[in-house]
Amino acid sequence: MQKIPIRLIVNGLPHTIHVEPRRTLLDALRKDLGFTGTKKGCDEGTCGACTVLLNGKPIYACMALALECEGIPVETIEGMQKDDKLHPIQEAFIQEDALQCGFCTPGQIMAAKALLDQNPRPSPEEVRKALVGNLCRCGTYPKILKAVLSAAGQSLTLPLVVGSYRLSPKGRGRGEGD
Amino acid sequence: MLKVIKTKTEFEGRWFEEHVVVEGEGLSSWPPGADLKWVGKRETRIDGRERVTGRAAFTHDIQLPGMVYGKILRSPHPHAKIGKIETGRAENLAGVLAVLTYKNIPRIPFRVGQNFVLNELVRFVGDEVACILAEDEEVCEDAIDAIKVEYEPLPFVIDPVEALEPGAPRVWPEGNLFNGRPEVYERGEVQKGFAESDILVEQVFKTQTGLHNSMETHGSVAVWEGDRLVLWDSTQHVFGVRREIASLLRLPLNKVQVIKKYMGGGFGSKNSLGKYTLLAALGARRIGRPVKIMLDRHEENLAAGNRPTSIQHLKIGAKRDGALTSIDLRAISGAGAYAVYPAAVGGPVRQLYACPNVKTEQYSVFTHTGPMSPFRGPGYVEGTFALESLMDELANRLEMDPLEIRLRNDAKQDPITGQLYSSKGLKEAYERGASEIQWHGRRSSNEATGSKRYGKGMASQIWGGSGGPPAYAFVKLNSDGTATVLTGTQDVGTGTKTVLAQIAAEELSLSIERISVEIGDTQVGPYSPISAGSMTLASVGPAVRIAAYEAREQLLDVAAQVLEIPRETLTVEDGILKSPAIKEQVSVKDVLSEVKNFMIIGRGARSPNPEGVSIHTFGAQFAEVEVDAETGEVKVVKMVAVHDSGRVINPMTVSSQIEGGVLQGLGFGLTERRIIDHRMGVVLNADLENYDVPTALDAPEIITGMIDRPDLHVNNLGVKGAGEPPIIPTAAAVANAVADAIGVRIRELPMTRDKVLKALSQREVVETE
């Protein structure tokens, strides 16, 4: 298939790549531009590991063609850190242990950023709903929730009881959002 | 002097005897209440920064100059003989470099000789047929479409019960039963035990096939540097992959390097060598360029392992006071088309309770479906669901509290060996869990508000987790006073690097910021075992402590001579050398700079486990549920999980393990199941849209508890494994809570709405009769 030039703006900087029109934004970021922080978990819009921000809105990079994103600002996990300083969401993820294997983490952080940029003081329910499209097979959801709230300045800190470690905000169960 | 000893080790409910070499100073565990600075503390992950910035390079992220891609063509038939494979059209596509088939690659035996890397016969939908190597993945996909394969379909069998029937289509010429016979365990006499009982309960329980769905799929990047093979492999055991690849490709061990720096989850599915690894290695050799093969999500769910289905016929006999007299389990479990060894479904029945007469009989059955593999707590998750469900039915019949009947049958010693436990915190787990969930004085069963029914349930957990030799570590002290821990283990997401750094920091009296940990590379660290069976920390941690101790001893030797003061007066604290013989403080850095670039290297080896005691982990989980009788929806309101894995090195990472185990257990109990069309042998939900893993909205309140008491018998840290225990009792606890809520029991997982509604309607039929 014929390769065509596509101009992408990633984390504020312009890049021109030459790819087939069927190139997804995800593959363009990872393979053509080396932004491997955005992960590929399913390549079909079901897991959220490839979440990036397109014009500030969270999208699955595997579900967009690079062509469709021509000239539109794309923000990836690599753009979160400014001058060697972690973004408060990144810092909160470390502090709250909101990651285990870490594979879904960049996507979770980007989805959280999209939420907090729009709604700086979300409720726990709003956080859970905003992150429902980002799967974590390690089951880190309770701590991800805590980290996002903490990054938003909402503390859910429970006392550490030695030998009886408690760490979980009040949550609600299956069936929400149906 | 090196010592060679014979020792017994446990792995996922099975025992192995092996020779191991041990060396180094024997250290005893820090006593309970010892004043520790780093161990037992809530430390954030030392590699957290890499993981939150996207800099952590998973196998999937490795991109090498000149690298090409491989993609596997898989069988659409559950059982077929391959006739012609026409690859010409594919080979002529621009960008296609090679097409590997069984006709043009070496016949390399695979899975203990059960088949070959590429084979003339395919035995499940998804079995490997050919491998395309091309400049890019899109080209690979075009090439897959361009290959024409003639299949001669053969009879097939999907259901393990049908596969055991005479005349069933055979997966293997010798028959469909793994090893040709059931695996049988017996103590006492079960029939006599049943005759002596006052009450009998007997039921059939079924569990579904579960899919791991690690976020990072399986895959490998292979590159040949001259005659040396370098593999970036998504594996839970770099040394295991090195051994297998070297043996299959007839390479010396020093010519194979296996690297796994960051792992995007494995849960047991990445325990052994994958065909993709061999195909990447063979392909890279053929075309002289690096090759990357990553499975896609569908391939992952077809061919990369599963928790096999089980059908468990379980019978329990007891006295009127609740004392168990006899348990009999006959279990049939699926194996898929290829299997290395079956999951120990009978483990909980054999080990959990003091019962004099026990028999377990397990039939592991080949079918024309994707191969099974271990999946977090293999066998024990399934076995605990059946045993703990039937224990509740027994309690119900005896009008006893479910917790009381468990306490009544609590094993004071290992029911199999008669040995005392090295430590057992199960009763405390029961007590703390019961208190957190407000078990005593809970609302009566079947309390209802409108269509809502409420219930509570609990279940117990037993598992191994002793760890053991062989496991080795080095600790290097650099001339600036920083230290590096080197060991060939892997961090599958549990936080291994962080806890190893905590152990080294404690023993070296160094702050954790001054310690780095290098793992996951066969050329860098010494041998470490597989990161599975909850054995990483309990195996590697003690070796790291000894290595750090040895390094500290060497440091004191050097410092005493540099400072010209008696060795016995010297101590080191927080990187500062102290002695009554010196006035001003001297740092480790000052001393080591004096000897220029001399590098202290401490070596540590894991000592064998003690003989004569039984080493296990224990726990209890309690569930509170709300069931909607109109929709059949089960909502878990709260989970309490209290586990005893000995000393806790890092309460934060352990609490993450517990929460994650509980969530995976909830998925298994309520939503997850592989669905196969039995007429076609095709998996209908090999994707994350239709296979329902828990989401952020499915996470209930989870209260995690740790007994956190060092097990002074087991190793120099007092630790046992914590990774697998938390998934084991979850589905059982929820099933018991659902039965408590709706007054009727669901004996088949997952407890989806249709099953709940069916159970409720059956109860109504019984009530109106």
Side-chain angles (χ1 to χ4, degrees):
Chain A
M1 224 181 278
Q2 188 70 38
K3 290 191 175 178
I4 54 163
I6 298 174
R7 190 168 166 272
L8 293 173
I9 305 167
V10 184
N11 302 325
L13 290 175
H15 302 266
T16 300
I17 56 172
H18 289 81
V19 292
E20 292 180 13
R22 61 175 162 172
R23 195 67 145 188
T24 62
L25 175 62
L26 176 59
D27 281 343
L29 289 170
R30 291 179 52 80
K31 292 190 197 168
D32 302 309
L33 298 173
F35 291 112
T36 55
T38 305
K39 305 302 177 192
K40 187 188 276 188
C42 70
D43 211 20
E44 55 186 10
T46 58
C47 79
C50 66
T51 304
V52 297
L53 306 190
L54 186 70
N55 228 355
K57 296 228 160 55
I59 61 155
Y60 291 159
C62 70
M63 298 302 281
L65 293 174
L67 189 59
E68 299 174 277
C69 305
E70 178 134 38
I72 309 173
V74 175
E75 207 179 331
T76 72
I77 190 74
E78 286 88 352
M80 290 287 280
Q81 202 176 340
K82 299 274 187 270
D83 302 326
D84 201 36
K85 202 173 171 320
L86 293 180
H87 188 279
I89 299 174
Q90 293 174 308
E91 196 55 61
F93 266 63
I94 296 177
Q95 288 308 319
E96 302 296 345
D97 206 39
L99 52 90
Q100 290 186 43
C101 79
F103 195 84
C104 73
T105 308
Q108 304 276 2
I109 289 174
M110 296 316 290
K113 179 170 194 289
L115 170 70
L116 297 190
D117 283 351
Q118 209 199 9
N119 176 4
R121 305 282 292 174
S123 69
E125 273 322 290
E126 286 170 328
V127 175
R128 288 150 65 98
K129 282 185 177 153
L131 296 182
V132 74
N134 291 76
L135 299 180
C136 169
R137 189 50 160 162
C138 299
T140 319
Y141 302 124
K143 287 185 170 130
I144 292 173
L145 172 61
K146 195 154 181 271
V148 176
L149 289 171
S150 152
Q154 281 153 282
S155 170
L156 275 185
T157 310
L158 290 164
L160 171 77
V161 184
V162 175
S164 166
Y165 194 64
R166 296 182 53 148
L167 184 71
S168 179
K170 278 272 183 215
R172 282 192 273 164
R174 166 166 292 277
E176 284 292 329
D178 273 6
Chain B
M1 162 91 183
L2 297 178
K3 262 190 303 185
V4 178
I5 56 155
K6 208 174 199 183
T7 185
K8 277 188 181 163
T9 53
E10 185 261 6
F11 182 72
E12 299 187 340
R14 279 157 217 285
W15 286 88
F16 303 91
E17 193 164 83
E18 51 198 10
H19 281 100
V20 294
V21 176
V22 294
E23 58 174 326
E25 198 81 19
L27 298 172
S28 51
S29 174
W30 300 290
D35 182 21
L36 301 175
K37 199 155 180 204
W38 300 102
V39 163
K41 300 297 182 323
R42 182 189 193 276
E43 288 296 326
T44 58
R45 296 189 191 220
I46 63 170
D47 52 359
R49 198 177 173 97
E50 296 94 289
R51 292 176 197 256
V52 300
T53 52
R55 300 309 308 169
F58 297 84
T59 299
H60 157 76
D61 299 322
I62 301 298
Q63 314 220 63
L64 301 172
M67 186 179 84
V68 303
Y69 296 84
K71 197 104 193 113
I72 295 165
L73 169 65
R74 295 176 181 277
S75 168
H77 298 281
H79 193 197
K81 190 170 184 296
I82 297 172
K84 250 197 251 156
I85 307 185
E86 284 176 32
T87 58
R89 255 186 70 216
E91 281 160 339
N92 287 335
L93 286 175
V96 172
L97 300 160
V99 179
L100 311 180
T101 68
Y102 77 92
K103 292 182 176 173
N104 65 9
I105 65 161
R107 271 170 81 77
I108 298 173
F110 204 79
R111 281 191 186 261
V112 222
Q114 283 171 10
N115 74 344
F116 299 95
V117 174
L118 292 177
N119 208 25
E120 209 178 337
L121 265 180
V122 284
R123 294 185 180 84
F124 69 95
V125 173
D127 213 348
E128 289 81 355
V129 173
C131 179
I132 292 96
L133 304 173
E135 296 282 356
D136 214 334
E137 287 168 293
E138 291 97 332
V139 182
C140 287
E141 278 155 23
D142 294 343
I144 281 194
D145 292 341
I147 295 176
K148 221 175 133 194
V149 185
E150 277 176 17
Y151 295 97
E152 181 196 324
L154 298 168
F156 62 91
V157 61
I158 301 299
D159 181 80
V161 176
E162 284 173 24
L164 278 181
E165 284 166 9
R170 291 193 163 195
V171 182
W172 296 99
E174 312 82 68
N176 292 336
L177 184 57
F178 183 84
N179 276 342
R181 57 180 191 286
E183 202 178 3
V184 180
Y185 164 85
E186 189 162 14
R187 66 169 178 262
E189 289 174 52
V190 281
Q191 289 316 324
K192 197 169 134 267
F194 287 130
E196 288 166 359
S197 68
D198 297 326
I199 184 166
L200 287 174
V201 284
E202 186 174 5
Q203 292 295 349
V204 179
F205 295 87
K206 292 181 184 172
T207 64
Q208 75 280 33
T209 302
L211 299 171
H212 300 71
N213 271 310
S214 309
M215 294 310 294
E216 181 189 33
T217 59
H218 290 58
S220 200
V221 178
V223 58
W224 290 84
E225 293 174 352
D227 61 353
R228 209 172 77 85
L229 173 63
V230 183
L231 287 167
W232 280 265
D233 204 60
S234 189
T235 176
Q236 294 174 235
H237 196 199
V238 289
F239 276 95
V241 169
R242 183 179 79 151
R243 182 185 62 233
E244 289 186 69
I245 279 281
S247 147
L248 294 176
L249 297 183
R250 302 197 178 156
L251 294 166
L253 287 174
N254 63 347
K255 298 285 187 189
V256 183
Q257 178 177 13
V258 182
I259 305 168
K260 179 69 226 176
K261 290 291 180 190
Y262 295 92
M263 164 70 97
F267 313 114
S269 68
K270 296 173 180 170
N271 280 4
S272 45
L273 180 71
K275 286 189 175 181
Y276 49 86
T277 307
L278 261 167
L279 289 168
L282 291 169
R285 186 157 68 183
R286 176 160 308 191
I287 63 172
R289 291 169 66 177
V291 170
K292 179 197 260 188
I293 301 180
M294 291 301 301
L295 304 193
D296 69 25
R297 182 57 53 190
H298 291 251
E299 297 178 279
E300 181 78 6
N301 280 332
L302 294 178
N306 56 65
R307 182 193 301 279
T309 181
S310 79
I311 300 109
Q312 303 177 54
H313 299 252
L314 184 62
K315 184 175 174 184
I316 300 180
K319 290 286 192 191
R320 209 157 274 120
D321 66 357
L324 300 178
T325 59
S326 199
I327 314 178
D328 183 52
L329 170 70
R330 184 171 169 274
I332 296 171
S333 70
Y338 312 102
V340 179
Y341 63 84
V345 177
V349 163
R350 296 191 285 268
Q351 294 175 314
L352 188 53
Y353 293 115
C355 178
N357 308 294
V358 170
K359 186 176 179 192
T360 63
E361 196 178 359
Q362 185 178 343
Y363 297 76
S364 195
V365 186
F366 289 115
T367 60
H368 292 100
T369 60
M372 60 84 68
S373 70
F375 186 163
R376 201 172 189 174
Y380 281 61
V381 170
E382 304 92 294
T384 300
F385 164 66
L387 175 62
E388 289 293 78
S389 292
L390 198 57
M391 284 297 282
D392 260 36
E393 294 193 49
L394 177 65
N396 201 17
R397 291 270 303 277
L398 288 168
E399 295 181 352
M400 278 179 88
D401 185 277
L403 182 51
E404 192 190 333
I405 200 165
R406 287 171 173 86
L407 287 166
R408 176 72 187 75
N409 291 290
D410 183 56
K412 307 281 179 293
Q413 58 208 35
D414 187 322
I416 296 178
T417 63
Q419 292 167 336
L420 292 174
Y421 293 111
S422 58
S423 72
K424 180 176 182 179
L426 183 56
K427 277 190 181 173
E428 274 172 88
Y430 285 145
E431 280 165 21
R432 293 229 315 244
S435 155
E436 286 282 359
I437 201 92
Q438 295 173 305
W439 181 260
H440 302 292
R442 63 190 185 280
R443 291 178 289 196
S444 63
S445 295
N446 307 324
E447 188 179 318
T449 318
S451 66
K452 301 286 168 51
R453 308 282 180 273
Y454 303 95
K456 286 179 185 174
M458 53 92 52
S460 326
Q461 167 258 316
I462 187 166
W463 179 247
S466 67
Y472 305 92
F474 300 153
V475 169
K476 296 194 299 188
L477 283 190
N478 303 305
S479 58
D480 64 353
T482 60
T484 307
V485 176
L486 300 167
T487 176
T489 187
Q490 313 59 216
D491 185 345
V492 297
T494 54
T496 305
K497 279 164 90 169
T498 306
V499 291
L500 296 183
Q502 287 176 269
I503 293 162
E506 192 70 50
E507 195 59 41
L508 291 168
S509 277
L510 267 185
S511 119
I512 198 165
E513 293 80 34
R514 306 185 78 173
I515 292 174
S516 57
V517 181
E518 296 294 330
I519 61 170
D521 188 335
T522 54
Q523 299 298 92
V524 175
Y527 180 87
S528 249
I530 186 169
S531 290
S534 305
M535 64 190 289
T536 304
L537 176 59
S539 301
V540 185
V544 168
R545 186 175 169 212
I546 293 173
Y549 173 85
E550 295 288 331
R552 178 192 170 107
E553 288 295 298
Q554 290 178 37
L555 169 68
L556 294 178
D557 288 344
V558 171
Q561 293 170 66
V562 169
L563 300 172
E564 296 178 352
I565 55 172
R567 162 78 160 77
E568 57 278 10
T569 66
L570 256 182
T571 56
V572 58
E573 269 172 54
D574 297 328
I576 303 293
L577 289 151
K578 290 180 181 164
S579 162
I582 45 174
K583 287 205 179 67
E584 69 276 34
Q585 290 191 336
V586 183
S587 71
V588 169
K589 186 179 168 182
D590 295 335
V591 166
L592 290 178
S593 324
E594 281 299 310
V595 287
K596 297 291 179 285
N597 287 315
F598 173 69
M599 181 166 281
I600 286 173
I601 301 178
R603 291 162 54 113
R606 169 64 151 87
S607 306
N609 288 321
E611 303 258 333
V613 291
S614 172
I615 306 172
H616 284 91
T617 57
F618 298 91
Q621 289 186 8
F622 293 75
E624 185 180 337
V625 302
E626 178 190 298
V627 182
D628 190 319
E630 277 173 14
T631 64
E633 182 187 334
V634 176
K635 178 165 145 182
V636 177
V637 179
K638 183 175 183 175
M639 288 294 303
V640 176
V642 187
H643 292 271
D644 175 22
S645 290
R647 184 195 298 280
V648 171
I649 304 285
N650 187 336
M652 186 155 67
T653 52
V654 174
S655 74
S656 294
Q657 284 296 295
I658 295 178
E659 287 165 354
V662 166
L663 276 161
Q664 278 183 352
L666 291 178
F668 190 69
L670 294 170
T671 56
E672 295 180 31
R673 66 182 189 282
R674 185 186 72 180
I675 303 166
I676 292 194
D677 178 340
H678 283 230
R679 291 164 311 157
M680 308 292 285
V682 175
V683 178
L684 301 176
N685 61 344
D687 59 79
L688 287 165
E689 181 70 31
N690 298 297
Y691 183 90
D692 292 331
V693 304
T695 73
L697 287 174
D698 301 319
E701 179 184 8
I702 302 170
I703 293 178
T704 64
M706 300 155 215
I707 301 299
D708 191 15
R709 197 171 45 230
D711 184 333
L712 298 174
H713 298 283
V714 289
N715 53 56
N716 65 28
L717 301 170
V719 299
K720 293 183 280 196
E724 283 158 297
I727 194 180
I728 290 172
T730 311
V734 173
N736 287 339
V738 169
D740 182 47
I742 64 175
V744 56
R745 181 162 291 276
I746 298 167
R747 299 189 186 87
E748 187 177 344
L749 295 180
M751 292 174 281
T752 44
R753 296 176 189 201
D754 55 320
K755 291 198 193 98
V756 174
L757 289 176
K758 201 169 147 199
L760 280 166
S761 67
Q762 279 165 351
R763 188 189 65 169
E764 277 154 26
V765 171
V766 172
E767 279 170 356
T768 50
E769 267 169 5

